Amino acid sequence: NCGESLRAMEIKAITDIGLIRKQNEDSIAIEDNNLGATLLIVADGMGGHNAGEVASAMACEILVTEFKKLKTEIDYKQFLEKAIILANKEIYKKSLLDEKCEKMGTTLSVVIFDRGKIYLGHVGDSRIYFLNTKKIVQLTSDHTLVQAMVEAYAITKQEAVLSKYKN
């Protein structure tokens, strides 16, 4: 039972600036709500654009705020869709109103654990994986041009690895 084992599981998160960037644009959040569900978020601000760290922080803050507001049982699949759309609207609005935030953006990977069920939501090319002692399984597909080309059979997975358009 995932819900029971989650309570026994220790959850930790860390971000790393990497080798190229001068500033860490990642944001993370781990929150429980009053209904006993747990929310995990990783948001990776888009490097090379303005204010990626602002966009990733906003995404986390908005999703956590919406998650903590929940007072009655809900379909978390619908919740994730609505909360991600809300975050996108707010980030876009700020990018239009604040010149320093023009064209800012973030990837977003979200997991909700609720009584033995796992709900996923994501935007961009930050992936969610399932792993245990025997296997690693990628659960999400990248939202990229190259992934769309692979899914449309325009290129093979091997060609995608070498593509000049890959992320």
Side-chain angles (χ1 to χ4, degrees):
N1 183 326
C2 178
E4 291 174 13
S5 64
L6 182 62
R7 298 293 176 232
M9 184 180 358
E10 186 173 350
I11 300 171
K12 293 187 178 189
I14 188 169
T15 66
D16 185 81
I17 194 169
L19 301 174
I20 299 172
R21 307 279 178 230
K22 294 180 181 178
Q23 178 177 338
N24 190 342
E25 297 183 344
D26 301 343
S27 294
I28 53 176
I30 303 168
E31 291 288 338
D32 293 325
N33 68 11
N34 292 328
L35 302 172
T38 301
L39 173 74
L40 308 172
I41 306 170
V42 175
D44 182 359
M46 289 169 36
H49 294 279
N50 292 331
E53 73 284 358
V54 174
S56 68
M58 283 182 68
C60 283
E61 182 180 322
I62 291 165
L63 266 76
V64 165
T65 298
E66 295 302 307
F67 186 70
K68 300 284 263 181
K69 283 182 189 176
L70 298 175
K71 302 288 185 221
T72 59
E73 296 301 317
I74 187 168
D75 177 344
Y76 281 112
K77 184 177 177 183
Q78 288 180 355
F79 166 80
L80 283 170
E81 184 176 338
K82 289 178 182 177
I84 290 170
I85 288 170
L86 175 63
N88 181 61
K89 286 179 182 177
E90 293 302 315
I91 290 167
Y92 181 66
K93 187 176 2 177
K94 183 163 181 69
S95 78
L96 294 176
L97 297 174
D98 186 341
E99 191 175 289
K100 293 176 188 166
C101 296
E102 184 180 8
K103 296 183 182 178
M104 72 176 175
T106 186
T107 68
L108 187 62
S109 295
V110 186
V111 178
I112 295 176
F113 293 98
D114 180 46
R115 291 172 296 191
K117 293 186 179 180
I118 301 171
Y119 301 87
L120 307 177
H122 91 112
V123 176
D125 61 355
S126 293
R127 297 174 179 170
I128 300 173
Y129 292 89
F130 167 82
L131 63 124
N132 62 20
T133 57
K134 297 180 182 176
K135 62 184 172 182
I136 298 174
V137 179
Q138 184 177 334
L139 299 178
T140 57
S141 294
D142 296 349
H143 298 128
T144 63
L145 173 62
V146 170
Q147 183 63 35
M149 292 169 71
V150 169
E151 290 172 5
Y153 302 104
I155 61 173
T156 65
K157 288 182 181 181
Q158 294 77 18
E159 291 170 323
V161 172
L162 302 173
S163 173
K164 66 180 181 179
Y165 302 110
K166 72 179 177 119
N167 292 19

